[in-house]
Amino acid sequence: FAADAGTISQSSPASPDARWTAPQIAGLVTIRATVSPDSGPSITSQVSVNVQIGSFARALEIPDTRATRLAALPDGRMAVVDGANGTLQLITGSGAMLWRVDGLATPVAVACLDDLYVVERGASRISVWDTTGKLLRSFPIDTVLPNGIAAGPNPGELTITDTGGGRAIVIASST
């Protein structure tokens, strides 16, 4: 194992596992792994990593989900959508699940105002949930490939990104 920057540690030179520690400076780093069989040529594989310097606070384990997107509420709770499993769940700031709703149609994005707004790509709609997990309403959206949702730009508005249509759509959250 080799890297242009940072350090690589192994339990022994013959160990198949290695750990790379990023350098303390930002930039592109190439990491290489070479495998040398008992006979035949060696094979090298490499990957480039863009190191960004930041302050890592913690990782949250979110059991039984493949989190697609999340949005934070002002009180620290987070709404998490899982597009692969069709779920919406509300978790605490430490990752503990408060509730979970199954059966959504490919939820790909979520935004939080007073309620939770979920883009269900598989049904071309927005579903609106309260913070206890109760479905309040849903409404259709005219998009080619909805991919994101955010609160704003003005109070009471939501912006939906339509990747397939190459546009952003602003709607009233009361729709």
Side-chain angles (χ1 to χ4, degrees):
F1 294 95
D4 295 343
T7 57
I8 294 180
S9 58
Q10 290 177 266
S11 56
S12 74
S15 173
D17 299 316
R19 179 184 181 119
W20 175 66
T21 302
Q24 294 297 312
I25 56 169
L28 195 62
V29 176
T30 301
I31 303 168
R32 293 173 199 80
T34 302
V35 177
S36 301
D38 290 336
S39 64
S42 296
I43 299 171
T44 300
S45 181
Q46 68 181 33
V47 64
S48 294
V49 177
N50 189 14
V51 176
Q52 297 180 353
I53 304 302
S55 178
F56 178 77
R58 65 185 177 277
L60 295 177
E61 296 295 327
I62 307 173
D64 302 320
T65 188
R66 291 170 36 191
T68 304
R69 298 248 169 71
L70 65 79
L73 290 155
D75 64 7
R77 295 176 298 166
M78 291 176 278
V80 181
V81 292
D82 176 343
N85 293 312
T87 64
L88 165 67
Q89 60 182 295
L90 194 68
I91 63 172
T92 65
S94 61
M97 184 172 51
L98 298 170
W99 54 260
R100 175 181 168 136
V101 176
D102 296 300
L104 280 71
T106 316
V108 294
V110 60
C112 299
L113 294 172
D114 291 332
D115 297 314
L116 311 176
Y117 295 80
V118 178
V119 174
E120 291 187 71
R121 181 184 291 161
S124 295
R125 71 178 171 218
I126 302 282
S127 54
V128 185
W129 305 80
D130 71 11
T131 56
T132 68
K134 178 183 174 192
L135 178 63
L136 300 175
R137 65 187 182 283
S138 65
F139 53 90
I141 51 174
D142 183 22
T143 58
V144 177
L145 186 66
N147 200 42
I149 189 168
N154 297 309
E157 292 181 335
L158 296 163
T159 302
I160 303 158
T161 56
D162 181 4
T163 303
R167 61 190 178 149
I169 303 163
V170 179
I171 62 171
S173 63
S174 59
T175 301

